[in-house]
Amino acid sequence: MMDALAVVTQLRDLASEPQNREAIVQDQGCLPGLVLFLDHKDSNVLLATLQTLRYLAELTQNISTMKNELGMMVSLENLMEKEGLTDDITVLAKDVYDVLTGPVNTQTFRTPAQQQRRNKSQFFINTSNKKAKTVTLQIEGLDGSDQRGMCEEALLKVKGVISFTFQMAMKRCTIRIRSDLPTENLATAIASTKILQAQQVVKNDTGEEVLIPLSMSSTAIQENSQVPDYLPEDESPEKELDRAVSRTGAKEDGSGSWLNTAASFLTRSFYW
């Protein structure tokens, strides 16, 4: 049986893939359910929900639908003003709110290079929020799903990490963190896996990417007291992703999808 955190975590992972964002927003159950989760008591559910919404807002044509979804803007405003929440949640709620209320880019023509950059864009990259920053790491040893899982577990433990997304083909991880979190803390957490090593990706004066070695943090890293649980491999909906809403390269199957399961769960959640 799925729980709220499992559902929203999988929706977040689906939303991280650009080709899935329109389908998620157009689904009759997912967007209302995500709005419902903005009032959830579990901070992990709140954070994952906001991360999902921020991914979905990357697609310009989704913004109007999301903005007009019943309860969306009010719920975001409540999170921005609510006391007792972590800075990660407050910062992210404001990011989502600003994107939905900001000017919409109406540009319809893009060169292939521009389109490629757009497809690779991740949430927070263009935000002007001064309380958070984005770091890109090149991770040696990030060869497959097992190593990715180890990296995720290490990053989730670091207090101040807001969100992250992987580019497995390039062995990179783009991480959104609080502005006062030293990048060395990320490298130290990743190195604690004993398998992975991280270098920071930056651009030099000529615009070329260079790798900067990171020293290990000499101070104890603050860890999150609560880390969201992930589904066991044999129960994970990941195996169902080769259907209507899918990972890159997956084939469509009209017989149903994991998204339908999630939407059904979200719909039933209105009666809890």
Side-chain angles (χ1 to χ4, degrees), residues 6 9 18 26 32 64 80 84 96 107 152 156 165 181 200 234 244 269:
T9 297
Q26 294 301 320
S64 178
M80 290 161 56
V96 175
Q107 178 183 0
E152 288 177 344
L156 283 168
T165 185
L181 178 66
Q200 187 172 1
D234 57 348
S269 296

Side-chain angles (χ1 to χ4, degrees), residues 142-180:
L142 190 64
D143 300 321
S145 58
D146 290 343
Q147 292 77 20
R148 171 174 171 163
M150 295 173 63
C151 189
E152 288 177 344
E153 185 176 351
L155 291 174
L156 283 168
K157 292 180 180 178
V158 181
K159 189 172 184 179
V161 170
I162 300 172
S163 65
F164 50 83
T165 185
F166 290 88
Q167 294 172 284
M168 294 298 293
M170 301 178 68
K171 297 186 179 181
R172 289 186 177 181
C173 182
T174 301
I175 310 169
R176 188 66 174 170
I177 61 177
R178 288 178 52 177
S179 58
D180 58 353

Side-chain angles (χ1 to χ4, degrees), residues 55-236:
Y55 272 130
L56 297 176
E58 280 289 308
L59 189 63
T60 301
Q61 52 263 45
N62 281 348
I63 291 179
S64 178
T65 302
M66 294 175 65
K67 182 178 180 180
N68 293 318
E69 180 64 37
L70 182 64
M72 174 72 76
M73 304 310 292
V74 172
S75 296
L76 290 172
E77 289 174 354
N78 289 341
L79 287 177
M80 290 161 56
E81 299 171 359
K82 189 174 181 180
E83 296 182 357
L85 296 176
T86 65
D87 288 345
D88 297 348
I89 291 175
T90 304
V91 167
L92 190 46
K94 187 177 188 309
D95 275 335
V96 175
Y97 185 90
D98 288 346
V99 171
L100 295 184
T101 57
V104 177
N105 182 4
T106 57
Q107 178 183 0
T108 56
F109 173 78
R110 296 189 182 94
T111 66
Q114 288 173 323
Q115 184 63 49
Q116 184 180 34
R117 286 196 298 270
R118 174 64 180 172
N119 289 342
K120 288 184 178 180
S121 66
Q122 305 296 340
F123 60 77
F124 310 113
I125 296 301
N126 297 319
T127 180
S128 60
N129 195 304
K130 296 181 180 180
K131 292 185 177 180
K133 61 183 179 182
T134 300
V135 175
T136 299
L137 298 180
Q138 184 79 35
I139 303 177
E140 181 182 350
L142 190 64
D143 300 321
S145 58
D146 290 343
Q147 292 77 20
R148 171 174 171 163
M150 295 173 63
C151 189
E152 288 177 344
E153 185 176 351
L155 291 174
L156 283 168
K157 292 180 180 178
V158 181
K159 189 172 184 179
V161 170
I162 300 172
S163 65
F164 50 83
T165 185
F166 290 88
Q167 294 172 284
M168 294 298 293
M170 301 178 68
K171 297 186 179 181
R172 289 186 177 181
C173 182
T174 301
I175 310 169
R176 188 66 174 170
I177 61 177
R178 288 178 52 177
S179 58
D180 58 353
L181 178 66
T183 306
E184 288 77 12
N185 285 18
L186 302 177
T188 302
I190 291 173
S192 69
T193 64
K194 308 299 183 181
I195 294 177
L196 306 175
Q197 295 290 331
Q199 293 178 291
Q200 187 172 1
V201 181
V202 299
K203 289 188 177 182
N204 60 20
D205 294 339
T206 62
E208 296 177 338
E209 290 186 347
V210 294
L211 299 180
I212 306 297
L214 295 170
S215 59
M216 298 297 103
S217 175
S218 59
T219 58
I221 298 176
Q222 282 189 293
E223 293 190 359
N224 286 317
S225 57
Q226 293 182 338
V227 178
D229 295 327
Y230 284 86
L231 293 178
E233 184 68 23
D234 57 348
E235 296 178 7
S236 175

